[in-house]
Structures are given as C-alpha cells and as structure tokens.
Amino acid sequence: MTALVNQAIEAYRPSAHYTAENTWLNDPNGLIFHAGVYHLFYQSNPFGDVWGNMSWGHAVSENLLDWKELPVAIACDDDEAIFSGSVVFDATNSSGLGTAAIPPMVAVYTSAYSESSSRHGIQAQSLAYSLDDGLTWTKYQANPVLDRGSADFRDPKVFLYEADGASYWVMVAVEAMERKVVLYKSDNLIDWSHLSDFGPANATAGVWECPDLFALPHEADPSLSKWVLTVNMNPGGINGGSAGQYFIGEFDGTTFLSETTVTEGPEDPERLAEYQWLDWGRDYYAAVSFSNAPDGRRIMIGWMNNWDYANLIPSSPWRGPMAYPREITLTSVNGQPRLRQRPVAAGSAEAIPASLEGSASLLDSGSQTFSLGSGTAKVITVELKSDGSSDVGFILHGEGNGQTVITVNPAQGTLSLDRRESGKTAFAENFASIETANLASATSAASAMERISLTIIVDACSVEIFAEDGLTTLTDLVFPEQPYTQLTVTASQGQAELLSFAVAG
Ligand code: FRU
C-alpha cells in the first residue's frame, strides 16, 4: 500500500525543477550565487504540506538544475514567522556582522510577528547572517532593523547600488495593501532611510508582493541599460489569481521612473492585457532574481503555483515546485523596451541531448504524432510557419484520455493553453482553465504572423512555454492521469509548416 501511495506521489515529482523532499514550499528567497554555488532559500513549512510555520528552507546547486536540499536555514519561533526576503554578500563587512577576514552573507527577511510578540500583527524587516558561506544562520540580536508600524510591509529585496562614485545598499519592499513599492537606502544594512515610493500603477487588483529592481543592459547595445522593476500581485493576475508584472525605466539611486506605465493609480481592468507580465499562465509567482550571478547574468526563479489553489494541488507531502530558472535580457519590440526570458542552459543543454530531431512537415488540416520518449523532463523546440489562416495545435497526451492543448493562432496573434482535460483538475474548483497570451510580435504588424518559435518544457506536473524566443511566456501546472509521452501537432485549416522540431529528454 505504502509503495502504491508513494508511486502516485512521485508520479508528479519533476526531474528538472526543484521540489522540497517532504514539505510545503512557496516563494523563492535569498537567491544568491556565492563561492561557486547557487543558493535557493525558500518559504518552507518544515512541519507540513500546507502553508504555515514559515521558515527559510535551503537548497544548493552548481548548475541550477541539480539541487541538494540542506537543513532549514532560518527557522520560525514563538515570536515570528520568517517571511520572504533576500540575501547579499557584505564583502566589506559594512554591517559589522562578520569580520574583514570573514565578511558575512546577510539575509534581509520579513518578521511576521505572532501573537506572543509585543509587535503582534506587525511586519518589519530583520537580518540574519552567515559566516560559513550560507550553511548556518544567526538572527541579528537587535532585530527588527526597519519597522514602519505596518501590518503589510514585507518582502525586502536588497542590492548594492553603485554609480558615480556612490555605493550604498538599496532595499525595495512593498506596502502590500497600498499597492506600493517602497525604496530605502543604507550604508550598513542596519540603519535605513526612506528614498521614495512607486505605485499604484498598472495592475492593482490584488496585493503587491515580492518586488525586485535591477539594471539590465540592452541586447543590441550593452552600453544602453535600463532598470527593471518587477512586482508580483495576488489575486487579479492576467489569467486569474497570482501573477507578476514588470515596469521598465530609470533609477537614479533615489527614484524609479517607469516608461511603461499604462495606468497610474487604481487599475483599469480593460487594460489588463496591455500591461507587461512576466508570465501569462497561472503558475508563475513571486519570481525574484539572483544576486551576484556569474558574468553579470540576470537569472530569475519563480514559484510554480497560484494562491488560488496552492494548498490543494495533489502532490503531498511535497507541495509546490519551483519554475525552471530563466535568464532575463532586455530587448525592444516596436521601439518599446521589453524583457526576453529564456530557460537557462546551465548544465541542461549538454545534459539532455536531442533525442528526436524533426524533419520539416507540411500540415494541411491534418495532424502528426511524435513520441516524446520516456524521460520525465522533456524540452520541445518547434519553429513553424503559417499562412495565417490556420490555428496550430500542440496536444500533449499519453496513451489514454487526458490532454493539454497548446494553440497558436497566428491571425489573432495569440497563444493559449487549455488544461481543462489535462488530468486531475477537480481538487480545486477553479483549477480547470484556458489561459491566453497576446504574442508580442503580433503587435508589430497588422498582418498575420508568419513564423513563430516555441520552447516547451514538460516535466511531470508542469508545462512552461517560451514563445517568440522568450518574448512571451506561459506557465501552467497540470496533473496528468498518465505521463504525457506523445505530442500531436494539428493544423485546423490552411497551411502550416513545421520548419524544425526537436525533443530533448
Ligand atoms: C507571497 C507571500 C509574501 C510573503 C510570503 C509568506 O507569496 O505572500 O508576500 O512574504 O508569501 O509566505
């Protein structure tokens, strides 16, 4: 019996995504590359498979693909839960929490105070530090370091701002209910002074959470860089529930000025699809970027889940995978700045050789079925050409019933994912859904799109689509009754040509 139960649980365990061994997880926290190792801390319930007892779990990897779980890094206690935050390497020991010889790693996290605390009901920012490269952590004895007396002040992301000879720490956090990102500065990570606020702007239906702010060089000309502010919001995302939006603009060390704001102040729901989204699916939330990633790369990881049903997904006792890590670059579409997100290649490109490389196929109201092989994780890359009159469908399925349908509609410039028949859906009443994304390149020409590329990562309980070389992404969880081992490609009418097709897995 136990073996059967375990098999059912493990059927949804992905192989190319991080999951905790036996426990609940939500947001990634404290992402940092340090001493040759990627650290992934995360919101963990060390004692259960649903949200609670919030502490920082910990995993490490050298390639962002193979992760090793370590003991809980920062544990909740009677007085506080340890909510989301970030980690910096304090190389100059500006905080005095280490020594010149052993500079500390410093975690800046949100203390969510419990009933037994004199600060009950407050959220404030606190520190913990590590003098052994992130293995063990000590809470700073004079916590919290920043208390606004607010019940919804959380999720600090800290980075070192360096420009024109100036160098200081900047914190972006949220006043969640006010839909504001608040910015602070410090010379020592302990004493903080207010710089400015950003928001409300664009999508504001839900609380704002887990912000990030970073400079990004332009792909075409690295000397041109812009600043990117990402803000996660729950609920009210583009396809329901939790989602992340972003703004692109300038940061002068004090104020972030957005060039991409469509709506100032309260949201205009009519415009939801005009805002810029990190992902158009339902399962990409709380994404934040690594500090100190090698070669100046900007790599983000999101939590692959949605607060609409996060506690109910059928994978107990582990619950909640992380999304596949993404490398973020800055590009332009129609003269407007825009992010490109590609799955990181670190390790994986070599580790998963193409097992099937497709001959180009012509489709005319027909279909072709390809085997996806027996591996758990599969990376499918497709380039197709359409005469504009045809919907092209990519149907993921096994031998029996159950399918996830990805559709590209070149005439309308949309990409959708339909998981209504994907397998187990009844565990939450709002899980079965179809998500639609507006393709970015569709906005650049009134005529139908000619070519589109897709990279699709399928891994036990998830489908992540990177369309148009990462200009548009769509991520959804699925719980197939039997693994998806085949892909059927269909063209509804007209002509569509599969220019290339490859599966690695
Ligand atoms: C986002 C969030 C954060 C908070 C954490 C608590 O998913 O609500 O705002 O810090 O989760 O687990």
Side-chain angles (χ1 to χ4, degrees):
M1 185 63 194
T2 318
L4 274 182
V5 170
N6 284 343
Q7 263 173 26
I9 294 163
E10 294 308 315
Y12 294 130
R13 174 90 74 183
S15 69
H17 292 78
Y18 181 70
T19 51
E21 193 59 37
N22 288 310
T23 54
W24 161 273
L25 66 73
N26 57 290
D27 315 355
N29 296 152
L31 302 182
I32 186 166
F33 180 77
H34 181 74
V37 173
Y38 291 94
H39 291 261
L40 165 62
F41 301 92
Y42 52 88
Q43 289 288 279
S44 165
N45 179 355
F47 311 112
D49 63 359
V50 292
W51 189 87
N53 308 304
M54 277 300 111
S55 300
W56 278 25
H58 190 190
V60 287
S61 173
E62 284 175 13
N63 62 8
L64 293 166
L65 185 66
D66 304 302
W67 293 96
K68 180 176 174 217
E69 187 169 327
L70 296 178
V72 166
I74 310 175
C76 64
D77 60 26
D78 289 347
D79 284 343
E80 63 173 11
I82 314 297
F83 275 18
S84 288
S86 50
V87 168
V88 291
F89 175 49
D90 182 14
T92 61
N93 191 32
S94 68
S95 61
L97 296 172
T99 60
I102 308 178
M105 290 171 85
V106 179
V108 189
Y109 67 86
T110 298
S111 295
Y113 291 103
S114 324
E115 260 173 54
S116 59
S117 161
S118 58
R119 287 191 161 87
H120 175 223
I122 295 294
Q123 295 183 346
Q125 312 323 320
S126 292
L127 306 181
Y129 57 96
S130 171
L131 303 178
D132 57 4
D133 291 333
L135 287 183
T136 59
W137 293 81
T138 307
K139 289 180 182 174
Y140 174 52
Q141 92 289 347
N143 279 336
V145 292
L146 182 55
D147 181 358
R148 291 162 55 110
S150 165
D152 294 287
F153 172 39
R154 60 180 179 266
D155 305 342
K157 175 75 199 261
V158 175
F159 63 93
L160 189 65
Y161 177 77
E162 289 177 297
D164 306 328
S167 170
Y168 49 87
W169 302 104
V170 171
M171 175 198 294
V172 285
V174 290
E175 275 295 347
M177 299 299 283
E178 295 174 23
R179 283 70 168 159
K180 272 190 186 160
V181 175
V182 293
L183 289 84
Y184 282 80
K185 78 180 273 194
S186 174
D187 290 324
N188 58 9
L189 295 165
I190 291 169
D191 304 300
W192 292 92
S193 55
H194 181 244
L195 287 174
S196 61
D197 293 345
F198 175 83
N202 288 4
T204 55
V207 291
W208 279 21
E209 300 186 315
C210 301
D212 199 351
L213 178 63
F214 47 85
L216 211 53
H218 197 283
E219 281 175 358
D221 180 355
S223 71
L224 298 177
S225 79
K226 291 197 183 284
W227 285 79
V228 179
L229 177 69
T230 60
V231 187
N232 290 273
M233 187 187 76
N234 175 67
I238 178 66
N239 275 303
S242 318
Q245 59 177 331
Y246 66 88
F247 301 86
I248 301 180
E250 298 303 331
F251 176 61
D252 62 3
T254 302
T255 308
F256 174 76
L257 268 183
S258 163
E259 291 171 27
T260 58
T261 297
V262 179
T263 305
E264 300 264 10
E267 174 170 325
D268 178 353
E270 300 273 295
R271 313 199 77 147
L272 212 56
E274 288 173 42
Y275 305 150
Q276 296 196 331
W277 297 95
L278 281 174
D279 195 282
W280 293 68
R282 290 185 69 196
D283 297 299
Y284 191 75
Y285 195 59
V288 281
S289 69
F290 276 89
S291 297
N292 296 356
D295 308 320
R297 295 168 76 194
R298 188 56 57 176
I299 297 168
M300 293 185 99
I301 297 185
W303 172 47
M304 197 154 53
N305 214 334
N306 189 317
W307 283 117
D308 275 357
Y309 42 73
N311 282 287
L312 301 172
I313 62 169
S315 66
S316 170
W318 64 272
R319 197 175 262 137
M322 290 300 175
Y324 197 87
R326 300 177 178 189
E327 177 153 9
I328 315 295
T329 53
L330 177 65
T331 187
S332 311
V333 175
N334 256 350
Q336 295 297 314
R338 184 153 188 141
L339 296 186
R340 187 192 298 285
Q341 304 176 78
R342 294 186 176 117
V344 295
S348 59
E350 299 77 34
I352 311 178
S355 53
L356 193 158
E357 282 189 58
S359 48
S361 326
L362 194 66
L363 306 164
D364 186 2
S365 304
S367 68
Q368 274 202 38
T369 297
F370 301 90
S371 164
L372 295 176
S374 56
T376 305
K378 307 154 209 307
V379 182
I380 304 166
T381 41
V382 173
E383 200 187 356
L384 62 94
K385 191 175 161 198
S386 150
D387 69 356
S389 61
S390 181
D391 278 4
V392 183
F394 299 90
I395 305 170
L396 292 159
H397 58 100
E399 294 291 340
N401 293 333
Q403 57 181 32
T404 290
V405 183
I406 297 163
T407 305
V408 176
N409 182 321
Q412 286 175 10
T414 58
L415 165 76
S416 67
L417 185 148
D418 182 349
R419 66 177 180 187
R420 290 172 304 173
E421 307 292 331
S422 57
K424 287 195 179 115
T425 59
F427 56 86
E429 71 178 22
N430 55 8
F431 181 81
S433 57
I434 310 183
E435 279 65 76
T436 300
N438 291 342
L439 292 167
S441 36
T443 58
S444 60
S447 59
M449 301 171 61
E450 288 222 317
R451 274 168 189 249
I452 176 152
S453 66
L454 301 179
T455 297
I456 306 168
I457 303 179
V458 182
D459 192 7
C461 64
S462 62
V463 180
E464 287 156 294
I465 309 169
F466 299 80
E468 314 170 279
D469 199 11
L471 289 181
T472 302
T473 66
L474 198 161
T475 297
D476 264 10
L477 290 174
V478 289
F479 297 95
E481 299 285 359
Q482 28 178 286
Y484 294 152
T485 50
Q486 295 177 41
L487 177 72
T488 296
V489 187
T490 65
S492 63
Q493 53 184 308
Q495 297 285 321
E497 198 176 337
L498 219 47
L499 297 176
S500 65
F501 175 86
V503 181

